Amino acid sequence: MAEVVLFHHALGLTPGVETFAELLRAAGHTVSTPDLFEGRTFDDIEAGVDHASEVGFGTIMRRGAEAAEGTPAGAVYIGFSLGVVPAQRLAQTTPGAGGAVLVSSCLPVGEFGESWPEGVPVRVLATAEDPYFVDEGDIDAARQLAADSPDAELVLFPGSGHLFADPGHASYDAETAGLLVDHVLELLAQVDATARG
């Protein structure tokens, strides 16, 4: 089974994020959920982003890296929205990373290196009309990643929800969240099979 590090979105480490982690644990995977906000949670995305800006994105990435220290080789890094920042950085820069799932966000690969590491599967999963994902350029970064790396796949779901997988958020969509879980479990099974040889 896979080792997973799951990074929360801009609302913080909400019960919804923990619920998602439990779904992966129920499938037999080991999942850690670092708290990048040190206990703070927020009711709306803008307030959470403002908090992250005040803390500093460098600090957010440092907290993510520190939380992942000691994680076994072959780990899969998953990030929701804001959590994609540390997840993508770790997947790109950690030797022996097993894979990555980037939900509702994607940074240009050049932020963390020259190219996506060969043999590290990555899926970018988002809704096709999510204004954060589309209007802020994440979709362009994701398309470029998918075009440049044979290990990358961009999957767009119908709809416009940003935090569609968090049951506590207004944009939650049970059907789309279920599709997300299916994709994540499929990638984790792929990583596990590769590790077993």
Side-chain angles (χ1 to χ4, degrees):
M1 295 287 102
E3 185 87 23
V4 176
V5 184
L6 173 64
F7 293 104
H8 63 74
H9 46 58
L11 301 187
L13 186 55
T14 62
V17 174
E18 292 285 15
T19 296
F20 187 87
E22 283 301 326
L23 292 173
L24 304 186
R25 291 181 186 120
H29 304 290
T30 301
V31 185
S32 62
T33 53
D35 188 346
L36 304 174
F37 285 177
E38 299 183 327
R40 297 284 303 275
T41 57
F42 299 89
D43 294 327
D44 67 82
I45 294 171
E46 286 70 25
V49 171
D50 287 346
H51 175 70
S53 298
E54 290 171 13
V55 170
F57 288 99
T59 299
I60 296 293
M61 285 193 288
R62 178 180 54 77
R63 288 177 181 173
E66 289 174 353
E69 285 179 2
T71 301
V76 176
Y77 301 96
I78 301 176
F80 286 103
S81 186
L82 174 75
V84 163
V85 177
Q88 184 172 338
R89 178 175 180 260
L90 286 163
Q92 272 191 246
T93 63
T94 303
V101 180
L102 314 178
V103 183
S104 299
S105 183
C106 182
L107 282 72
V109 169
E111 290 285 329
F112 306 118
E114 292 184 6
S115 61
W116 188 262
E118 184 178 349
V120 178
V122 53
R123 289 192 189 179
V124 184
L125 307 167
T127 56
E129 299 174 46
D130 171 6
Y132 293 97
F133 188 72
V134 175
D135 298 343
E136 296 181 8
D138 296 67
I139 193 170
D140 299 317
R143 284 175 172 152
Q144 192 65 53
L145 172 58
D148 291 346
S149 172
D151 299 303
E153 181 181 0
L154 168 62
V155 179
L156 296 174
F157 303 119
S160 60
H162 186 61
L163 302 183
F164 63 88
D166 190 323
H169 192 262
S171 66
Y172 175 68
D173 183 300
E175 183 176 353
T176 307
L179 294 173
L180 172 68
V181 171
D182 290 344
H183 277 279
V184 172
L185 291 177
E186 185 177 289
L187 183 134
L188 295 179
Q190 175 188 342
V191 170
D192 184 47
T194 299
R196 292 173 184 270

